[in-house]
């Protein structure tokens, strides 16, 4: 495993990192993410984009890379949500935005419009797989990190049968 | 918690907190949890909540003498995660016993009446910058950055300026149409060469990120009904965008071979 970027690519990479931060931050502002969290949301987006890009450069397929990105977003969001005592949704919403399979979706539409139905279906399947991979990444990491919290919330039972006064 | 009056107040408090959170974009599993926490903290022996994206059903009280309430949620268009965070914070402090029920009502009213966390023109600027940045992530250069910003700003303002009672599908469709049309025209006039990046920049502010995330998180928490409802909302929005893009491409790119 060698360093995946050449020296000439570094400045462009830095520019793209800044851009992914800006893109995520702007999206967070659209959804009124609290001010004290919005810079962090931008960083989650940057981390997600970088990990996806790295995975692709190490030869992982686009679907696998999307999965890795979703995983990174979920782990970082759950951690920051605990740290800053905010709902996890605040962090996840912005974080997944750089992973959105925009170009794949665009190519799907373009193939359909230009009359290449078969290529369109292939691209559409690819888009769908990438989207599913992102959500799979979110679900797996999120479920593992939420296990203890769900237990805490569910233990004091609300069931009718078990209330002390009976029914 | 023995008097009927107090029971009514607790029910009202739970409904108000849940309504505020759900309207501003929280996932339903979190709303349910918050309602149960608030209800228990105010002394109710029994709290049941059932939350869907379009309504909240709660019963609160002692076994055998519980009160049931229901609120219908009509729009979730005013997404404001700051308010979700505030209510969540409030419920946590209430649970620790730092607030009384009356104070909770006052705070909730204040949160409801508070102005947007970011002013509307900052939001438009944010949409523009975000769209521009996305064009670069998808392989554009600085001219695409410019076009993407303008198109993102246009589609966001179009979305915001339409009336609330216009169906969401139609609003997204028109906003995407405006943004993508300008993007395609700018490419056709030779200002830039990367149609893909410009179009992605134009539709980014309309992408249903919140419904999608909420759908995933709800399904994960076992809220099958809400999860599927949110997922279909997201699909509908994405479909509106896709139709707008296809429509513009089929009109503008007639006879023009789109860059491979």
């Amino acid at each position: 495993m060698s360093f995946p970027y050449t020296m000439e690519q570094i400045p462009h990479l830095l520019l793209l990192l800044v851009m992914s931060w800006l893109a995520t931050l702007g999206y967070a502002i659209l959804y009124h993410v609290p001010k004290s969290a919005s810079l962090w949301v931008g960083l989650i987006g940057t981390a997600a984009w970088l990990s996806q890009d790295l995975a692709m450069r190490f030869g992982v397929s686009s679907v696998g890379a999307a999965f890795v990105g979703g995983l990174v977003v979920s782990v970082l969001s759950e951690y920051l949500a605990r740290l800053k005592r905010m709902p996890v949704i605040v962090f996840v919403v912005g974080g997944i935005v750089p992973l959105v399979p925009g170009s794949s979706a665009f190519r799907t539409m373009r193939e359909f419009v230009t009359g290449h139905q078969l290529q369109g279906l292939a691209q559409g399947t690819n888009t769908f797989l990438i989207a599913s991979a992102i959500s799979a990444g979110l679900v797996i990491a999120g479920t593992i990190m939420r296990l203890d919290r769900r237990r805490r919330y569910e233990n004091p039972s609300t069931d009718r049968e078990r209330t002390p006064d009976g029914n | 918690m023995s008097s009927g009056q107090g029971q009514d107040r607790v029910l009202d408090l739970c409904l108000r907190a849940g309504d505020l959170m759900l309207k501003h974009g929280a996932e339903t599993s979190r709303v349910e949890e918050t309602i149960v926490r608030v209800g228990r903290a105010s002394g109710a022996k029994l709290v049941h909540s059932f939350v869907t994206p379009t309504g909240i059903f709660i019963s609160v009280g002692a076994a055998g003498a519980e009160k049931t309430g229901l609120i219908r949620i009509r729009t979730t268009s005013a997404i404001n995660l700051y308010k979700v965070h505030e209510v969540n914070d409030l419920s946590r402090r209430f649970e620790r016993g730092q607030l009384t029920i009356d104070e909770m009502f006052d705070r909730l009213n204040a949160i409801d009446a508070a102005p947007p966390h970011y002013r509307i023109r900052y939001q438009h600027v944010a949409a523009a910058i975000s769209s521009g940045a996305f064009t670069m992530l998808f392989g554009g250069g600085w001219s695409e950055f410019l076009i993407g910003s303008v198109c993102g700003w246009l589609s966001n303002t179009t979305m915001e300026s339409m009336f609330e009672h216009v169906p969401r599908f139609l609003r997204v469709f028109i906003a995407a149409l405006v943004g993508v049309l300008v993007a395609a025209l700018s490419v056709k006039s030779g200002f830039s060469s990367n149609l893909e990046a410009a179009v992605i920049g134009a539709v980014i502010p309309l992408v249903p990120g919140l419904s999608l995330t909420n759908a995933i998180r709800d399904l994960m928490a076992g809220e099958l009904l809400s999860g599927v409802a949110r997922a279909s909302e997201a699909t509908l929005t994405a479909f509106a965008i896709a139709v707008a893009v296809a429509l513009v491409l089929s009109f503008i790119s007639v006879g023009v071979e789109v860059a491979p």
Side-chain angles (χ1 to χ4, degrees), chain B residues 61-100:
Chain B
E66 69 253 35
K67 300 254 180 182
T68 303
L70 145 70
I71 271 192
R72 181 87 166 83
I73 311 284
R74 296 225 174 259
T75 69
T76 48
S77 60
I79 291 167
N80 190 332
L81 291 177
Y82 181 67
K83 291 187 178 179
V84 173
H85 159 64
E86 290 260 87
V87 177
N88 189 48
D89 210 39
L90 217 56
S91 82
R92 202 172 272 151
R93 278 163 58 193
F94 183 57
E95 216 181 3
R96 269 193 249 120
Q98 294 170 353
L99 294 167
T100 64

Side-chain angles (χ1 to χ4, degrees), chain B residues 54-226:
Chain B
T54 50
I56 300 179
F57 311 81
I58 315 179
S59 48
V60 172
E66 69 253 35
K67 300 254 180 182
T68 303
L70 145 70
I71 271 192
R72 181 87 166 83
I73 311 284
R74 296 225 174 259
T75 69
T76 48
S77 60
I79 291 167
N80 190 332
L81 291 177
Y82 181 67
K83 291 187 178 179
V84 173
H85 159 64
E86 290 260 87
V87 177
N88 189 48
D89 210 39
L90 217 56
S91 82
R92 202 172 272 151
R93 278 163 58 193
F94 183 57
E95 216 181 3
R96 269 193 249 120
Q98 294 170 353
L99 294 167
T100 64
I101 291 189
D102 288 321
E103 277 172 345
M104 274 293 276
F105 270 112
D106 291 344
R107 297 286 176 91
L108 285 177
N109 285 334
I111 291 174
D112 197 16
H117 192 50
Y118 297 96
R119 260 179 282 167
I120 192 82
R121 55 170 174 276
Y122 292 153
Q123 278 204 51
H124 291 322
V125 171
I129 290 178
S130 170
S131 299
F134 263 103
T135 59
M136 287 210 129
L137 286 187
F138 285 102
W142 287 107
S143 57
E144 278 80 20
F145 184 91
L146 198 64
I147 293 170
S149 306
V150 171
C151 296
W153 178 80
L154 260 179
S155 51
N156 196 44
T157 38
T158 316
M159 182 84 184
E160 294 282 328
S161 60
M162 259 180 282
F163 296 113
E164 279 291 312
H165 53 76
V166 179
R168 191 174 161 74
F169 180 83
L170 200 61
R171 283 198 290 162
V172 172
F173 176 72
I174 294 175
L177 206 61
V178 172
V180 177
L181 196 65
V182 174
L185 282 178
S186 76
V187 173
K188 196 146 168 69
S189 66
F191 188 71
S192 96
S193 55
N194 194 337
L195 181 63
E196 187 179 312
V199 168
I200 294 172
V203 300
I204 275 297
L206 309 171
V207 167
L210 190 92
S211 329
L212 215 59
T213 328
N214 271 341
I216 297 168
R217 292 188 63 79
D218 274 339
L219 284 174
M220 185 168 105
E223 304 278 338
L224 299 185
L225 193 63
S226 317

Side-chain angles (χ1 to χ4, degrees), chain A residues 12 15-39 49 74 77-78 81 84-94 96-107 109-114 116 131 134-136 138-143 146 149-150 152-160 163-167, chain B residues 21 25-27 29-30 32-34 36-37 40 45-49 59 62-64 66 79-85 88-89 92 96 116-119 122-124 126-127 129-134 136-138 140 142 145 156 168 195-196 199-200 204-214 216-217 220-221 223 242-243 245-247 249-251 257-260:
Chain A
H12 190 61
L15 177 69
L16 286 185
L17 285 181
V18 172
M19 283 300 160
S20 62
W21 185 75
L22 273 181
T24 315
L25 181 66
Y27 208 77
I29 291 176
L30 275 185
Y31 281 143
H32 294 276
V33 164
K35 274 171 192 155
S36 57
S38 50
L39 299 184
W49 185 84
S74 190
S77 303
E78 296 273 349
K84 301 189 80 79
R85 301 196 146 267
M86 282 177 185
V88 185
I89 187 86
V90 166
F91 298 95
V92 178
V93 163
I96 64 160
V97 175
L99 305 175
V100 169
S103 54
S104 185
F106 174 80
R107 281 189 205 122
M109 286 335 283
R110 194 186 62 197
E111 298 294 352
F112 275 126
V113 166
T114 48
H116 302 124
I134 298 173
S135 43
L138 283 181
V139 167
I140 289 174
T143 316
R146 271 161 65 113
R149 200 177 68 91
R150 297 300 298 178
R152 274 216 306 276
Y153 158 56
E154 272 158 11
N155 253 353
S157 174
T158 51
D159 286 358
R160 254 158 230 253
T163 41
D165 1 10
N167 195 1
Chain B
M21 282 184 93
E27 72 262 40
S29 46
R30 177 167 291 275
E32 271 184 10
E33 189 185 321
T34 306
V36 172
R37 282 175 190 275
R40 287 221 193 98
K45 284 218 176 61
L46 178 147
V47 186
H48 289 290
S49 72
S59 48
E66 69 253 35
I79 291 167
N80 190 332
L81 291 177
Y82 181 67
K83 291 187 178 179
V84 173
H85 159 64
N88 189 48
D89 210 39
R92 202 172 272 151
R96 269 193 249 120
H117 192 50
Y118 297 96
R119 260 179 282 167
Y122 292 153
Q123 278 204 51
H124 291 322
I129 290 178
S130 170
S131 299
F134 263 103
M136 287 210 129
L137 286 187
F138 285 102
W142 287 107
F145 184 91
N156 196 44
R168 191 174 161 74
L195 181 63
E196 187 179 312
V199 168
I200 294 172
I204 275 297
L206 309 171
V207 167
L210 190 92
S211 329
L212 215 59
T213 328
N214 271 341
I216 297 168
R217 292 188 63 79
M220 185 168 105
E223 304 278 338
V243 170
V245 172
L247 206 62
L249 284 188
S250 61
F251 274 99
E257 194 50 49
V258 187

